[in-house]
Amino acid sequence: MSYELSYWSTSPLLTIFAVCGAYIALMMLIMCLFMYSKQRKNAYLYMAAAFLFIMTYEGLNIHSALTGMPFFSPESDILRFIQLFSFVLLNVSVVMLYRKIKTVHYWLPLLSAALLVLPLILPSFLPFTLDPIWQSIYFDCFQFVALYLAFVKVTPRIGQPVKYAMGLAVYTVWGILQSIHTYSNTLASVLQGFALALPVLFYSIVFFILFRRIVELMQSIYRSAITDGLTGLYNRRHFMKYLDHYTSQELKISAIFCDIDNFKKLNDTQGHARADEVLKQVAAIMEEELEGIGITGRYGGEELVALVVDRKVKPAQVAENIRARVASETIVTLSIGYSVLRKGVRGDELMKQADKAMYHSKTNGKNKVSDYRSMKTASAEPKESAG
C-alpha cells in the first residue's frame, strides 16, 4: 500500500516502507501456509492469497522506486487493483478465522475482482474516450464502500474488534490522504512521509491480530486434547499422566474417586441434557474444592476423580467438602473413596485403591466417604480375631 512513484515523491522513504511492508507480508504468508498445513482451515489460504497480493504490490513499488520506471502502464490502475483486491481478501479471511461464513460469501472475492477489473477493460469497449480521472473516482468509491462494510460487517464478528477497528482507521486515513493527493496534488511533503508509513502500521496491526488468533487456536486445540469436552476437567489419559508423574517422584499425594449415585436413573427419567447439566455442576464443585491444592479429571461416564497434591491438606476433609456441597447444591449425591499414596504403590494401583473405597461407599448406603486404609483395616480385623 505504499504510494506509486507517479503519485508521490522519489523520497527514499518510499523504498524503505515498501521493503518493510513486503517483509511483514512475507512473514504472514509463511505463517498462514504453515498453519494451513497443520489445520487445513480455508481462512489461512485466503489470508495467504491476500499477503501474496500485498507482496506483489509492494514489490512493484520497490521496482518503481529503484528504477524510476513504472512496471506496468498505467501504473496507478494496476496497483490500485492489487491493493483493493488484497484488502477484500484480507477482510474475508479475518472473518473466517473467527467463524464459519455462508457459502455465498466465498464468492465475494470473485465479485470484487470483477468490479475492480471493470474500469481497466471498459474503456477499450467504448466508442468514445473517457477522462482518466473517472477510474480514480471509481476505485476510491470501491475503497470507501469496502471500508464501510469492513467496519459494519467484519469488526463486530471477530474476537479483536477494537484492534481491527484501529487498523481500519489507519487504512481510512491512508485512503483520504491518497485521494487528496490524487485530485489536488497539494499534499505537503510531511504528510506524504506520514502517509507512506501508514501501510506498514496497518500490516503490523493485522500481524498482531493474526498472531494472537493463532495462539488462541493452538491453545484451544491443546486444551481439547487434554480435557473432557463436557465437564472441562482433564480427560482420563492426561489425568493419568499427572498421576504417574507424581507417583514416580514419590510425592505425598492422595487420590479421590467419586461416582454419582443413581446417575442412570437420572438419565432415564429426566433425559441426557439434564444429566449432563448435573454432571457439569458436580465437576464445577470439584474444581472449586481442588483449586490451588490439586487437579481434577473425568475418569469415565459419571466417574470423576481428583488428586490432592498439597501435603498440608487432608484428603478426608476435601472429599467430605465435595460430598456435602454436591448433596446440598445439586439434585444428586456422591459415593466417594480416597487413598493416600504409600511407598511402592504405582499410579494405577492408587486409583484402584480409591475406586475400591468408592465402591465400599456405594454398597454401604451411598452419599458417603470411605478411606481405603480404614476400609482395609476394618475388613482385616475379623480375620485376626477369628484366628
Side-chain angles (χ1 to χ4, degrees):
M1 265 175 269
S2 301
Y3 297 93
E4 298 89 304
L5 187 65
S6 58
Y7 276 17
W8 307 95
S9 68
T10 55
S11 166
L13 288 176
L14 175 62
T15 306
I16 294 172
F17 286 122
V19 170
C20 290
Y23 179 75
I24 294 174
L26 175 62
M27 292 298 100
M28 290 192 286
L29 172 63
I30 294 172
M31 189 185 303
C32 287
L33 292 177
F34 174 77
M35 290 303 298
Y36 180 75
S37 69
K38 299 296 182 182
Q39 295 185 23
R40 300 297 175 183
K41 192 177 178 69
N42 288 334
Y44 297 119
L45 278 184
Y46 275 72
M47 191 166 282
F51 295 140
L52 184 62
F53 274 100
I54 291 171
M55 285 179 58
T56 303
Y57 181 89
E58 296 295 1
L60 295 178
N61 279 316
I62 294 169
H63 176 274
S64 297
L66 294 179
T67 64
M69 296 292 293
F71 198 80
F72 286 115
S73 182
E75 177 190 13
S76 60
D77 294 337
I78 297 297
L79 290 179
R80 287 304 299 278
F81 170 86
I82 297 174
Q83 168 223 324
L84 294 175
F85 185 60
S86 66
F87 181 72
V88 172
L89 280 175
L90 201 57
N91 279 278
V92 172
S93 62
V94 167
V95 175
M96 291 170 67
L97 274 179
Y98 285 91
R99 60 178 62 203
K100 291 182 178 180
I101 63 176
K102 297 179 180 179
T103 304
V104 67
H105 292 154
Y106 285 97
W107 294 94
L108 282 176
L110 290 178
L111 176 62
S112 300
L115 292 174
L116 290 170
V117 166
L118 183 62
L120 301 180
I121 63 174
L122 185 62
S124 60
F125 293 97
L126 295 177
F128 52 88
T129 303
L130 292 173
D131 189 330
I133 196 66
W134 84 272
Q135 291 177 321
S136 296
I137 296 174
Y138 182 93
F139 282 128
D140 285 341
C141 289
F142 183 97
Q143 176 172 273
F144 287 108
V145 169
L147 275 166
Y148 171 78
L149 293 175
F151 273 112
V152 174
K153 300 295 185 180
V154 176
T155 303
R157 298 171 185 268
I158 65 175
Q160 303 178 66
V162 175
K163 194 176 295 183
Y164 195 65
M166 290 173 56
L168 292 177
V170 170
Y171 194 98
T172 303
V173 173
W174 171 81
I176 292 172
L177 293 176
Q178 184 186 42
S179 298
I180 292 173
H181 190 77
T182 299
Y183 302 117
S184 67
N185 201 28
T186 58
L187 198 64
S189 58
V190 174
L191 287 178
Q192 289 187 38
F194 172 70
L196 290 171
L198 292 179
V200 177
L201 179 58
F202 176 69
Y203 299 152
S204 299
I205 292 173
V206 174
F207 173 82
F208 285 115
I209 291 174
L210 174 62
F211 182 78
R212 178 177 171 181
R213 182 55 179 163
I214 289 175
V215 170
E216 290 173 352
L217 290 172
M218 296 302 288
Q219 288 176 335
S220 176
I221 292 171
Y222 174 70
R223 181 150 186 84
S224 65
I226 66 173
T227 58
D228 171 61
L230 178 63
T231 62
L233 306 182
Y234 286 126
N235 58 33
R236 180 171 177 169
R237 180 178 61 83
H238 197 73
F239 181 87
M240 293 303 290
K241 279 188 177 181
Y242 268 112
L243 177 60
D244 291 339
H245 169 72
Y246 287 126
T247 53
S248 66
Q249 300 295 319
E250 296 186 349
L251 301 176
K252 185 179 180 182
I253 62 172
S254 303
I256 298 176
F257 205 110
C258 307
D259 186 274
I260 300 177
D261 297 326
N262 305 314
F263 192 73
K264 185 179 184 302
K265 182 179 179 181
L266 178 65
N267 256 316
D268 295 338
T269 57
Q270 300 193 34
H272 292 291
R274 178 60 171 151
D276 287 347
E277 183 183 340
V278 171
L279 187 60
K280 288 190 284 187
Q281 288 177 331
V282 175
I285 290 172
M286 290 186 63
E287 276 199 300
E288 290 173 9
E289 291 298 323
L290 271 295
E291 185 177 4
I293 62 172
I295 62 171
T296 53
R298 186 180 183 186
Y299 205 70
E302 67 272 25
E303 297 173 337
L304 306 178
V305 290
L307 287 180
V308 179
V309 298
D310 191 331
R311 295 183 178 183
K312 299 177 182 178
V313 177
K314 295 181 178 180
Q317 187 60 55
V318 176
E320 177 57 28
N321 291 344
I322 294 172
R323 186 208 61 78
R325 284 192 59 187
V326 170
S328 63
E329 298 176 23
T330 73
I331 62 172
V332 296
T333 59
L334 294 181
S335 293
I336 303 177
Y338 71 91
S339 181
V340 179
L341 180 68
R342 282 172 175 76
K343 191 172 182 180
V345 176
R346 299 193 309 270
D348 57 342
E349 293 175 347
L350 179 66
M351 291 309 301
K352 287 179 182 178
Q353 292 174 0
D355 187 14
K356 288 180 180 178
M358 180 277 296
Y359 186 73
H360 183 267
S361 296
K362 181 76 72 175
T363 55
N364 286 271
K366 302 179 181 179
N367 189 27
K368 60 175 57 178
V369 176
S370 297
D371 174 18
Y372 175 76
R373 188 178 184 186
S374 299
M375 179 192 75
K376 188 178 179 183
T377 302
S379 63
E381 283 178 354
K383 295 180 181 179
E384 292 175 1
S385 59

